[in-house]
Amino acid sequence: MKNNIATILKNNQLSITGSRTRILELFQESNGALAHADIEKKTFDTYDRVTIYRTLQTFVEKGIIHTIPTTDNSVRYALCRNECSGGHHHDNHVHFICDTCGTTYCLENVTIPDVNLPKGFQQNRSDLIISGICLQCA
């Protein structure tokens, strides 16, 4: 796993630091998306809030992770697929939030349908969030 993380960082022209390595490990170990607070709880004794925030922002900018809006206006993060790169996210999939456990899942095989916008409108991004009960809680 560590070689994979080193490869991800090197391929994105990022130095291999303890915080970047640990945060990527947390994403790879996660069953769903993570919030800043989730990462902070697991690394509170090692990394401060600012370090975590900057690392997450760098990963978003490089196309390593993508943001997922939530119903409470917070943000969760999930690993991108290989097709993403800096400034070009191609995570056109549905996100599912479990009402019981709060886990956010990327439904990779469920794509967001195309939307025909009125003339003069230009789409930059689409987000589709579905809430309900996940397999673990059903």
Side-chain angles (χ1 to χ4, degrees), residues 40-69:
E40 194 173 359
K41 284 179 195 170
K42 295 178 181 181
T43 64
F44 74 93
D45 56 342
T46 312
Y47 307 111
D48 61 30
R49 296 179 73 131
V50 175
T51 300
I52 295 167
Y53 176 78
R54 287 182 180 154
T55 301
L56 292 172
Q57 289 307 112
T58 298
F59 287 172
V60 169
E61 290 168 7
K62 293 289 188 175
I64 297 171
I65 62 174
H66 62 277
T67 59
I68 304 167

Side-chain angles (χ1 to χ4, degrees), residues 47-106:
Y47 307 111
D48 61 30
R49 296 179 73 131
V50 175
T51 300
I52 295 167
Y53 176 78
R54 287 182 180 154
T55 301
L56 292 172
Q57 289 307 112
T58 298
F59 287 172
V60 169
E61 290 168 7
K62 293 289 188 175
I64 297 171
I65 62 174
H66 62 277
T67 59
I68 304 167
T70 63
T71 54
D72 64 357
N73 292 324
S74 63
V75 176
R76 291 186 170 265
Y77 303 88
L79 284 173
C80 288
R81 293 182 275 171
N82 293 334
E83 298 88 32
C84 294
S85 62
H88 301 286
H89 290 276
H90 302 286
D91 291 296
N92 191 29
H93 57 265
V94 172
H95 294 99
F96 183 92
I97 301 173
C98 180
D99 292 331
T100 303
C101 67
T103 302
T104 301
Y105 298 92
C106 291

